[in-house]
Amino acid sequence: MKKQTLLLMTAAISFFTACENKPADTVTKPGITEKPFGVFENENITQYTITNANGMQVSIINYGGIVTDIITPDKDKKMGDVVLGFDSLSGYLQKGNPYFGALIGRYGNRIAKGKFVLDGKTYQLPLNNNGNTLHGGVKGFDKVVWQATKLPGDSSLQLTYASKDGEQGFPGNLQSTVVYTLTADNSLQISYTATTDKATPVNLTNHCYFNLSAGKEGTILDHEVMINADKYTAVDTVLIPTGQLPDVKGTPMDFTTAKKVGKDIASVKGGYDHNWVLNRKGNDLEEVATVYDAGSGRFLEVFTTEPGLQFYTGNFLDSTLHGKNNWVYAQHAALCLETQHFPDGPNQPTFPNTILKPGETYKHVTKYKFSVK
Ligand code: BGC
């Protein structure tokens, strides 16, 4: 036990030291650079790095549309990488990669028993999670090659993916476009659109694992989180919604006022892995959550157009994955803030609609804004 703790600490320290090797004053020119990142299914994988005028950087690969790095300044202007990931493509391809940084589709989170009925027809998806379908099936949008285009303006990367009728059991040819933009105010904005030629469930999201200390702290238990939600979707033992929307008030699920992740986590079996029902005024971009790490001073604000937020505290990380800069990812090494429609939407008539029909356009915008305080 002692040895493991020591190993984790050493790994976390070496990660932090490696990050610190990139001082803020190493000014990299704003724009988008490219670097080869390996080969997958005979296709070249490229890593695109978007840099803004403040020196903030976001790197994305066209395999899974994965955000591999987000490098932001701390309160002392030292740059650090605030997302979990791997140094090379083989890391991302390994079994047990828990969707680090990836685009998730065609349906984010779970569909009960991988089954739904649409226009009188029953569809069966591959089961990959306790008899249910998680994150789009065995080969979701996180495991395919997206076509990448650098957009004019030098701050946006567009990714497109054409998912075929019947792919992973879903009906309809689905054309998805995701645009990653690094803005002048240090925000990573993700805009999703999709169209289909047959009615189909669609729920796209991104699965970044954030640790705002950039590895200085081995877990996120001291990060302070606020989620603007009075209710959450209750789940059964295999994390399928029961349909009930309990109030968070007076429970460990209450994040309406910022609190440390670790404050009540022990009372939540397995840790936080739930969808919060966001308090929304309308359908525009609204601030729905914040995360603060006092040690580094980094502050993250999440804005979205979506009705739900999956707050997941890396419960299944178990020190078996060795990430970037020799960091061993222990339980709760990072947290995810997956903006989305509710899990199992296609089987839950009272949840917001997740069926996209021909002629309609699926639209979702989420913004992760980084600053310090
Ligand atoms: C899910 C977790 C799952 C994780 C995969 C989250 O979105 O809610 O249950 O383990 O993704 O890494």
Side-chain angles (χ1 to χ4, degrees):
M1 180 63 195
K2 265 190 186 153
K3 200 174 148 200
Q4 202 195 18
T5 314
L6 195 71
L7 196 79
L8 285 175
M9 280 174 66
T10 320
I13 290 164
S14 65
F15 171 81
F16 186 60
T17 318
C19 287
E20 279 201 312
N21 287 339
K22 285 185 183 163
D25 44 295
T26 313
V27 181
T28 325
K29 257 181 51 204
I32 308 181
T33 56
E34 291 180 32
K35 159 173 133 185
F37 205 74
V39 175
F40 175 73
E41 293 179 347
N42 295 322
E43 298 214 53
N44 288 330
I45 304 303
T46 303
Q47 185 179 50
Y48 299 85
T49 298
I50 316 177
T51 304
N52 71 7
N54 311 319
M56 178 174 163
Q57 294 191 316
V58 174
S59 298
I60 298 143
I61 55 174
N62 55 327
Y63 171 76
I66 294 171
V67 174
T68 58
D69 307 83
I70 299 182
I71 298 175
T72 70
D74 68 7
K75 61 184 175 196
D76 300 320
K77 299 198 167 57
K78 284 213 177 76
M79 299 306 257
D81 190 349
V82 297
V83 286
L84 269 47
F86 301 104
D87 292 314
S88 65
L89 186 60
S90 59
Y92 290 100
L93 296 178
Q94 74 187 289
K95 215 173 158 240
N97 163 21
Y99 305 89
F100 283 160
L103 290 178
I104 305 294
R106 187 178 295 202
Y107 199 93
N109 212 280
R110 292 172 178 80
I111 295 182
K113 301 189 169 61
K115 209 179 258 180
F116 59 92
V117 181
L118 201 50
D119 296 333
K121 198 172 159 192
T122 302
Y123 292 89
Q124 180 64 59
L125 315 173
L127 308 177
N128 60 342
N129 189 269
N130 293 318
N132 302 305
T133 302
L134 174 66
H135 295 335
V138 292
K139 190 174 182 186
F141 291 6
D142 58 297
K143 295 182 184 66
V144 300
V145 179
W146 292 67
Q147 297 310 311
T149 314
K150 293 189 269 180
L151 296 182
D154 268 358
S155 58
S156 298
L157 183 74
Q158 175 180 281
L159 299 174
T160 58
Y161 178 64
S163 169
K164 295 217 165 63
D165 187 9
E167 190 173 312
Q168 296 297 301
F170 287 99
N173 291 293
L174 185 78
Q175 293 285 344
S176 301
T177 301
V178 177
V179 178
Y180 283 112
T181 303
L182 176 58
T183 67
D185 72 347
N186 286 3
S187 299
L188 172 62
Q189 178 159 314
I190 316 178
S191 304
Y192 309 77
T193 52
T195 55
T196 184
D197 59 2
K198 273 186 199 164
T200 184
V202 181
N203 189 26
L204 307 180
T205 190
N206 173 276
H207 212 306
C208 273
Y209 283 67
F210 298 100
N211 179 317
L212 297 186
S213 78
K216 199 174 180 188
E217 296 151 33
T219 76
I220 45 69
L221 295 175
D222 280 340
H223 283 33
E224 289 161 37
V225 168
M226 183 285 293
I227 304 173
N228 184 12
D230 293 334
K231 292 176 181 296
Y232 68 101
T233 49
V235 287
D236 67 13
T237 52
V238 285
L239 301 175
I240 296 296
T242 60
Q244 259 126 24
L245 306 178
D247 288 336
V248 297
K249 211 174 164 57
T251 79
M253 309 301 277
D254 191 353
F255 283 91
T256 50
T257 307
K259 70 174 178 194
K260 286 193 176 174
V261 175
K263 182 166 179 276
D264 300 322
I265 198 170
S267 341
V268 181
K269 205 164 172 265
Y272 295 106
D273 189 359
H274 299 77
N275 171 71
W276 269 257
V277 178
L278 298 169
N279 296 335
R280 300 199 54 98
K281 293 189 196 77
N283 298 319
D284 292 338
L285 257 192
E286 287 170 28
E287 185 163 53
V288 297
T290 62
V291 187
Y292 177 59
D293 169 46
S296 66
R298 286 195 185 87
F299 185 56
L300 168 61
E301 292 164 272
V302 184
F303 301 79
T304 191
T305 55
E306 287 294 284
L309 178 79
Q310 186 79 15
F311 174 50
Y312 169 59
T313 45
N315 311 327
F316 299 111
L317 297 173
D318 59 2
S319 302
T320 52
L321 292 172
H322 294 227
K324 289 180 276 187
N325 304 307
N326 300 319
W327 187 10
V328 178
Y329 296 137
Q331 191 181 39
H332 310 312
L335 56 85
C336 302
L337 300 156
E338 302 156 67
T339 52
Q340 61 182 12
H341 271 57
F342 303 173
D344 200 29
N347 295 310
Q348 299 276 352
T350 60
F351 286 1
N353 172 54
T354 52
I355 305 301
L356 181 72
K357 296 196 178 121
E360 298 174 345
T361 301
Y362 166 92
K363 286 190 184 135
H364 162 184
V365 181
T366 288
K367 190 166 105 164
Y368 297 100
K369 181 170 190 268
F370 296 88
S371 58
V372 289
K373 47 176 204 171

